Amino acid sequence: MEDERIIVRPAEAADVIFAKEITDEMEASAIVRGSGIAKRSPESICEKILAGKAVIAVTNYGNWVGFQYLEVWEEGKFVSNSGLIVSPKYRHCGVATAIKNKIFQLSRDKYPHAHIFSITTGLAIMKMNTALGFEPVTYSEITKDEHFWEGCKSCVNYDVLTGKKKCNCLCTAMLFDAVKAEQVKAKKQFQLVYN
């Protein structure tokens, strides 16, 4: 459709109608890539949407395009950005980057002092994270919350994770440190004023 537009926005209660489509695409995408992605249930996606912890991309015609959610760990010390998925029809046109940017901003707005992290095996996600100021870190620098790691149980690489005592796996952990980012920003402002 020539006049089709993609809208990337915080998810709303009415978006729960897409939950099954989202989880089906997450599973299908993991199979195609042969990568380990934790399975999510439609109910868990609905919970994220209803809690205001998700970003969705839809067309102006009401078709689902993409999705990502955030989760809070250790009483707001950490926030994870997880579950980024884009419908195959809309891949390679900037939707994933737009969703990633929007979930990052939602995370920063809701939890401005939290460390934001993501774990991934995907180079594209690593590049998007790097552009936002994330840095690769060891697993010791992200949440220790056991509920987070329980989400990995459905991943095909869970045995690797547990065999390495949750110290590392095939996913790369990436972290945005809000305090460090503010310090760098302040230092740059200082240098700009006094150079």
Side-chain angles (χ1 to χ4, degrees), residues 7-65:
I7 302 145
V8 179
R9 59 170 172 72
E12 303 167 352
D15 296 323
V16 297
I17 63 169
F18 300 115
K20 177 90 167 82
E21 189 174 0
I22 291 166
T23 56
D24 287 350
E25 186 52 47
M26 285 176 168
E27 186 172 4
S29 179
I31 291 167
V32 167
R33 290 190 324 251
S35 65
I37 186 169
K39 290 183 184 177
R40 282 97 173 173
S41 69
E43 294 77 21
S44 71
I45 298 301
C46 290
E47 287 173 16
K48 304 295 185 265
I49 291 170
L50 296 174
K53 296 179 177 179
V55 167
I56 197 161
V58 293
T59 69
N60 54 316
Y61 293 107
N63 299 316
W64 173 75
V65 174

Side-chain angles (χ1 to χ4, degrees), residues 91 111 123 154 175 181:
R91 290 181 185 159
Y111 308 95
L123 180 59
S154 61
L175 181 74

Side-chain angles (χ1 to χ4, degrees), residues 27-124:
E27 186 172 4
S29 179
I31 291 167
V32 167
R33 290 190 324 251
S35 65
I37 186 169
K39 290 183 184 177
R40 282 97 173 173
S41 69
E43 294 77 21
S44 71
I45 298 301
C46 290
E47 287 173 16
K48 304 295 185 265
I49 291 170
L50 296 174
K53 296 179 177 179
V55 167
I56 197 161
V58 293
T59 69
N60 54 316
Y61 293 107
N63 299 316
W64 173 75
V65 174
F67 179 82
Q68 188 170 24
Y69 67 88
L70 65 89
E71 191 58 76
V72 181
W73 307 101
E74 296 181 36
E75 298 178 5
K77 182 178 177 184
F78 292 96
V79 172
S80 60
N81 289 174
S82 303
L84 178 60
I85 191 72
V86 175
S87 170
K89 179 180 176 183
Y90 298 98
R91 290 181 185 159
H92 308 293
C93 54
V95 175
T97 300
I99 292 170
K100 186 73 172 160
N101 290 342
K102 185 67 94 174
I103 199 72
F104 178 73
Q105 192 58 55
L106 181 64
S107 300
R108 296 281 290 139
D109 290 347
K110 284 182 166 270
Y111 308 95
H113 304 295
H115 299 297
I116 303 170
F117 73 95
S118 171
I119 62 170
T120 185
T121 57
L123 180 59

Side-chain angles (χ1 to χ4, degrees), residues 149-195:
W149 299 106
E150 284 178 17
C152 296
K153 284 184 177 177
S154 61
C155 175
V156 297
N157 298 315
Y158 188 67
D159 289 344
V160 175
L161 179 67
T162 55
K164 295 187 177 215
K165 297 180 176 50
K166 298 179 186 155
C167 291
N168 61 17
C169 193
L170 300 182
C171 284
T172 298
M174 298 189 77
L175 181 74
F176 175 85
D177 183 330
V179 173
K180 183 177 175 183
E182 288 302 316
Q183 290 170 343
V184 168
K185 183 178 174 184
K187 185 177 180 181
K188 283 182 181 177
Q189 288 174 341
F190 178 79
Q191 289 172 345
L192 290 174
V193 172
Y194 293 101
N195 278 340

